[in-house]
Amino acid sequence: MAEGDVAPAVLAIGRPDFPKVLIDTLRRQAGVGHCMVFALSRAGAASCMLDAGSIAIGGDLGAAYAGQFHEFDPNRDALFEGEGNAPIMLPAFAPRMYGARYRKIFFQDSGIVDKCATAIWVSGTCFYVNFYRIAAQGRFSAAQRERLETMAPAIAASVARHFQHNAAPERSLAEMFATCAPLAGLTPRERDVCRRILEGFSSEAISNELGISLHSTLTYRKRAYERLGISSQSELFAIVLRLLAPRLN
């Protein structure tokens, strides 16, 4: 999977529609039915940060997990042993891992039949990202699990960045281009073009947006790519993704 496949979620960091963009991206790329994000601390506090998708009682499940059930999560040891800057991919889902009451509330009553999860620690907080499939969908296929594992670093970093800083729309990306090498080495017009490439604009749309000719747009893109040592949108996005993780701390 190209890193650009998760670009919509990364570029939505700080925006009010981040939850919708995130679940839409997860559905499209890996067949995820529902996503929930919890923030856990070593002091024992837990809160539900995001609940998006097709589970009608997701809000109730989030409140129940944050209230007490996080203490009985079989992934808890793996979460708290994995503190560091790298995303953690949690063990594959197996119902026998969970106690009877936990299974009834979180799987039988909700219709959840499968889950994958990743997590990342940032400044003493664990952002625990859960991906679910419901009965109407069936379990994740091997290919979907593989795609989620590939996406996990970008998704975990995006979630952490969104909830840690609650950045204003555009600010995170604009700051990267203004202050972070190698993006800061571009000319102002090259930055304008590259930012719109990341946002999914076609060359024609960039020309219209900036009020320049198509030839100029293509020239700025070529020069920017040469400065960055890349040749595609996915490589441009990979630079942004690499810069994102260090900025979390």
Side-chain angles (χ1 to χ4, degrees):
M1 172 184 291
E3 289 172 309
D5 291 340
V6 296
V10 174
L11 297 177
I13 292 169
R15 294 189 342 219
D17 64 342
F18 177 79
K20 181 181 185 304
V21 174
L22 177 64
I23 190 61
D24 287 348
T25 300
L26 292 169
R27 280 173 172 157
R28 184 173 60 252
Q29 299 298 339
V32 173
H34 200 91
C35 178
M36 298 185 78
V37 176
F38 299 97
L40 308 175
S41 73
R42 288 200 173 275
S47 59
C48 183
M49 308 296 291
L50 183 147
D51 164 42
S54 54
I55 300 175
I57 62 170
D60 294 336
L61 296 178
Y65 184 88
Q68 60 174 309
F69 282 93
H70 64 94
E71 299 175 0
F72 308 105
D73 189 335
N75 284 328
R76 189 175 178 84
D77 287 346
L79 289 170
F80 282 85
E81 289 171 1
E83 184 168 357
N85 292 329
I88 310 159
M89 199 69 195
L90 281 304
F93 170 74
R96 65 180 179 276
M97 296 165 56
Y98 300 84
R101 187 162 176 245
Y102 198 119
R103 283 200 307 273
K104 183 178 187 307
I105 293 174
F106 288 91
F107 302 111
Q108 295 167 10
D109 293 350
S110 68
I112 294 171
V113 296
D114 205 357
K115 69 171 281 190
C116 293
T118 186
I120 188 169
W121 282 88
V122 179
S123 302
T125 298
C126 177
F127 293 96
Y128 180 26
V129 190
N130 293 265
F131 314 113
Y132 303 103
R133 295 267 290 185
I134 60 175
Q137 298 175 298
R139 301 196 66 173
F140 287 109
S141 68
Q144 287 168 334
R145 285 185 175 278
E146 184 177 349
R147 288 171 76 83
L148 279 173
E149 289 178 8
T150 302
M151 295 167 66
I155 294 299
S158 299
V159 165
R161 174 72 177 166
H162 177 78
F163 288 111
Q164 183 193 22
H165 294 284
N166 196 22
E170 292 290 311
R171 188 176 71 186
S172 182
L173 193 60
E175 286 179 354
M176 283 188 190
F177 273 91
T179 63
C180 298
L183 300 178
L186 301 177
T187 68
R189 189 56 95 186
E190 288 167 356
R191 293 180 204 168
D192 289 341
V193 169
C194 284
R195 284 178 58 187
R196 285 160 177 80
I197 289 171
L198 286 167
E199 292 164 359
F201 282 62
S202 66
S203 296
E204 291 79 5
I206 294 172
S207 300
N208 292 333
E209 174 85 3
L210 298 179
I212 59 178
S213 69
L214 177 59
H215 175 75
S216 295
T217 294
L218 296 176
T219 298
Y220 287 126
R221 183 183 70 183
K222 180 181 178 183
R223 289 176 181 171
Y225 282 8
E226 286 175 349
R227 290 183 200 275
L228 298 173
I230 61 176
S231 60
S232 67
Q233 185 266 356
S234 62
E235 290 178 286
L236 177 61
F237 180 73
I239 292 174
V240 172
L241 192 58
R242 287 196 297 272
L243 291 172
L244 180 65
R247 288 161 62 84
L248 292 170
N249 297 314

